[in-house]
């Protein structure tokens, strides 16, 4: 067989050894280790008749020309979070590379395949720049530039923990943020986009399935919530005289579980709580929290936000406090293309026997590509324990190999569809 899934697994291990340590992957975007990973990937292109270049946002494009300029895009990202996993993002890129190798091999051999010579359509593999947003807090940076949704004014002044500005870090890597808009030129002739990713959750493992079909990415409502009470001495203030901001916040933290529980795929998370003055001898006068709400349905997401706001006001009144809300960030739900979903489902069933359709809670570059109007779909492979962004992130090797085969099947179906 010209497709060699075991080679993909071996290369993932090679990349892990090159760019990781005892704490996990260290391929944070715009770092020297990330640049080393990109150089390593370039070395893997030796012998392939491809054109490669970096666009204005630092996305790395590898193009195998076809009979038609219409292109199938295959995407992933080599960057990781600090102390991250060996598969997140890198699996996508290296599985795509294996597809390029397979297509190139078959086009040069008369082996009874449906196409010889050039493939019917052009195939383009992209390593997106800074999917994770780990250093500057801006996820999907390169793909948003591609999609034309970049937020340059807000992003250029972002700083990392050392105070380095994003604009300066990008310039060090040869990328000028003012030229981001030029990356939209890469949309030309794009007919479809596919992406393989680890699930990063426990659903497929609990169902005993290796692979799944992604229906889209959930919309996100992210807010800062501040409860205002009254600081007071913890020893001399009777319980019925307190205006405890933490008490009101704690009630909301429990209520959001019930709000999300009304909807099968919804999630609500209060991931950060800060109290002031934050000492053991004082009643909390101010409590600041963050709330993250996600669902694939825009109506459900809006309903959950209304319910959380109403609940916060009720709990604030019960504790004789006030509450303020401030939006941190928002993105609408992104539904993937119906025809591409069907092709992905066919590829999964033909490879693994069974398929499961599911939304993605985490965001992915595929969402930005879909926002650009390009027919898009993602395939998930099972994550052990549902863990990612962690050094223990893992997937069974037989499932990784199965995923490469299924993803290649999806690519073949997408090529036939486009041609």
């Amino acid at each position: 067989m010209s497709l060699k899934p075991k080679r993909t697994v071996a290369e993932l291990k090679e990349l892990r050894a090159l760019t990781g340590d005892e704490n996990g992957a260290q391929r944070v975007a715009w770092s020297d280790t990330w640049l080393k990973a990109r150089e390593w990937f370039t070395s893997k292109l030796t012998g392939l008749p491809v054109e490669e270049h970096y666009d204005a946002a630092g996305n790395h494009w590898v193009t195998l020309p076809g009979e038609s300029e219409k292109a199938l895009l295959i995407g992933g990202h080599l960057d990781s979070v600090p102390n991250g996993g060996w598969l997140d993002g890198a699996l996508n890129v290296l599985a795509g590379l294996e597809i390029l190798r397979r297509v190139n091999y078959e086009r040069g051999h008369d082996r009874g395949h449906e196409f010889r010579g050039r493939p019917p359509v052009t195939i383009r593999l992209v390593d997106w720049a800074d999917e994770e947003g780990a250093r500057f807090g801006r996820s999907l940076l390169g793909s948003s530039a591609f999609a034309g949704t970049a937020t340059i004014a807000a992003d250029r002044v972002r700083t990392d923990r050392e105070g380095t500005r994003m604009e300066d870090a990008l310039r060090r890597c040869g990328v000028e943020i003012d030229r981001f808009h030029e990356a939209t030129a890469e949309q030309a002739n794009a007919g479809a986009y596919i992406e393989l990713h680890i699930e990063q959750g426990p659903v497929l493992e609990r169902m005993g399935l290796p692979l799944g079909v992604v229906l889209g990415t959930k919309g996100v409502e992210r807010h800062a919530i501040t409860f205002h009470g009254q600081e007071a001495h913890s020893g001399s203030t009777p319980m019925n005289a307190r205006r405890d901001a933490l008490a009101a916040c704690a009630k909301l933290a429990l209520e959001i579980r019930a709000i999300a529980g009304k909807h099968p795929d919804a999630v609500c998370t209060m991931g950060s709580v800060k109290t002031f003055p934050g000492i053991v001898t004082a009643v909390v006068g101010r409590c600041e929290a963050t709330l993250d709400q996600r669902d694939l349905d825009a109506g459900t997401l809006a309903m959950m936000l209304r319910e959380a706001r109403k609940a916060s006001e009720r709990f604030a009144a019960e504790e004789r406090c006030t509450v303020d809300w401030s939006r941190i960030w928002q993105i609408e739900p992104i539904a993937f293309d119906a025809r591409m979903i069907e092709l992905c489902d066919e590829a999964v069933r033909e490879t693994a026997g069974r398929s499961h359709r599911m939304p993605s809670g985490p965001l992915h570059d595929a969402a930005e590509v879909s926002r650009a109007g390009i027919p898009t779909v993602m395939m998930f492979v099972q994550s052990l324990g549902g863990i990612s962004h962690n050094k223990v992130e893992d997937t069974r090797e037989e499932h990784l190999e199965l995923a490469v085969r299924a993803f290649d099947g999806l690519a073949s179906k997408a090529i036939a569809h486009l041609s």
Side-chain angles (χ1 to χ4, degrees), residues 102-133:
R102 189 268 300 171
V103 172
N104 180 60
Y105 176 85
E106 291 181 357
R107 75 179 192 161
H109 293 74
D110 183 359
R111 298 174 60 87
H113 296 286
E114 61 184 85
F115 59 83
R116 293 182 295 278
R118 283 191 170 193
V121 301
T122 296
I123 304 174
R124 306 189 71 200
L125 173 61
V126 56
D127 166 27
W128 300 110
D130 204 354
E131 190 269 359
E132 297 289 3

Side-chain angles (χ1 to χ4, degrees), residues 396-417:
R396 292 184 178 88
E397 289 191 16
E398 60 266 30
H399 287 172
L400 292 174
E401 294 173 18
L402 196 70
V404 174
R405 288 196 292 272
F407 195 51
D408 180 64
L410 171 59
S412 293
K413 292 177 183 296
I415 290 169
H417 174 64

Side-chain angles (χ1 to χ4, degrees), residues 229-255:
Q230 177 63 60
E231 296 177 17
H233 196 288
S234 62
S236 60
T237 309
M239 299 302 291
N240 60 6
R242 298 185 178 199
R243 297 173 55 202
D244 190 337
L246 176 57
C249 184
K251 290 180 178 180
L252 181 62
L254 295 177
E255 183 67 15

Side-chain angles (χ1 to χ4, degrees), residues 21-224:
D21 57 25
E22 66 277 10
N23 296 313
Q26 305 299 338
R27 300 184 302 273
V28 177
W30 318 112
S31 70
D32 289 341
T33 302
W34 177 64
L35 294 176
K36 182 191 295 186
R38 288 190 135 190
E39 290 175 2
W40 171 88
F41 174 68
T42 297
S43 73
K44 296 296 179 180
L45 301 175
T46 301
L48 285 174
V50 295
E51 179 275 332
E52 59 167 324
H53 70 273
Y54 290 85
D55 68 21
N59 302 311
H60 186 191
W61 293 89
V62 180
T63 302
L64 181 65
E67 294 294 338
S68 167
E69 291 186 352
K70 185 180 293 184
L72 169 65
L73 309 186
I74 304 173
H77 62 95
L78 289 178
D79 70 297
S80 74
V81 297
N83 304 325
W86 69 301
L87 299 170
D88 183 1
L91 170 62
N92 325 8
V93 177
L94 294 177
L97 173 60
E98 191 58 31
I99 291 172
L100 285 181
R101 288 168 172 155
R102 189 268 300 171
V103 172
N104 180 60
Y105 176 85
E106 291 181 357
R107 75 179 192 161
H109 293 74
D110 183 359
R111 298 174 60 87
H113 296 286
E114 61 184 85
F115 59 83
R116 293 182 295 278
R118 283 191 170 193
V121 301
T122 296
I123 304 174
R124 306 189 71 200
L125 173 61
V126 56
D127 166 27
W128 300 110
D130 204 354
E131 190 269 359
E132 297 289 3
R135 183 173 175 186
F136 294 99
R138 203 319 185 174
S139 302
L140 313 183
L141 187 69
S143 57
S144 70
F146 165 86
T149 60
T151 50
I152 295 175
D155 294 336
R156 73 189 317 144
V157 296
R158 292 176 181 268
T159 58
D160 63 14
R161 292 182 178 181
E162 283 71 46
T164 302
R165 296 200 333 160
M166 176 186 278
E167 182 175 23
D168 296 330
L170 270 59
R171 181 172 292 127
R172 175 179 172 270
C173 296
V175 176
E176 293 292 337
I177 197 168
D178 285 321
R179 295 183 57 195
F180 264 29
H181 64 279
E182 297 175 22
T184 58
E186 304 295 340
Q187 293 182 26
N189 302 313
Y193 175 84
I194 60 175
E195 185 173 314
L196 170 66
H197 208 282
I198 57 171
E199 181 196 345
Q200 301 180 280
V203 174
L204 291 175
E205 185 180 38
R206 289 179 176 178
M207 296 182 69
L209 297 177
L211 304 172
V213 179
V214 185
L215 298 171
T217 57
K218 294 179 180 179
V220 181
E221 284 284 359
R222 192 172 296 161
H223 288 79

Side-chain angles (χ1 to χ4, degrees), residues 226-281:
T226 303
F227 289 90
H228 300 275
Q230 177 63 60
E231 296 177 17
H233 196 288
S234 62
S236 60
T237 309
M239 299 302 291
N240 60 6
R242 298 185 178 199
R243 297 173 55 202
D244 190 337
L246 176 57
C249 184
K251 290 180 178 180
L252 181 62
L254 295 177
E255 183 67 15
I256 61 170
R257 298 165 65 115
I259 290 172
K262 300 175 185 177
H263 313 284
D265 293 315
V267 290
C268 293
T269 306
M270 190 172 283
S272 172
V273 177
K274 299 178 181 178
T275 62
F276 302 86
I279 58 176
V280 70
T281 55

Side-chain angles (χ1 to χ4, degrees), residues 350-400:
E350 289 171 3
T351 307
R354 292 175 56 198
S355 178
H356 175 66
R357 302 186 183 195
M358 59 192 297
S360 173
L363 294 170
H364 297 282
D365 293 308
E368 289 290 351
V369 178
S370 184
R371 291 176 78 185
I374 297 168
T376 295
V377 75
M378 289 182 68
M379 181 184 295
F380 273 167
V381 62
Q382 182 190 119
S383 292
L384 292 176
I387 302 297
S388 72
H389 284 196
N390 188 294
K391 67 178 181 180
V392 303
E393 171 187 287
D394 207 6
T395 295
R396 292 184 178 88
E397 289 191 16
E398 60 266 30
H399 287 172
L400 292 174

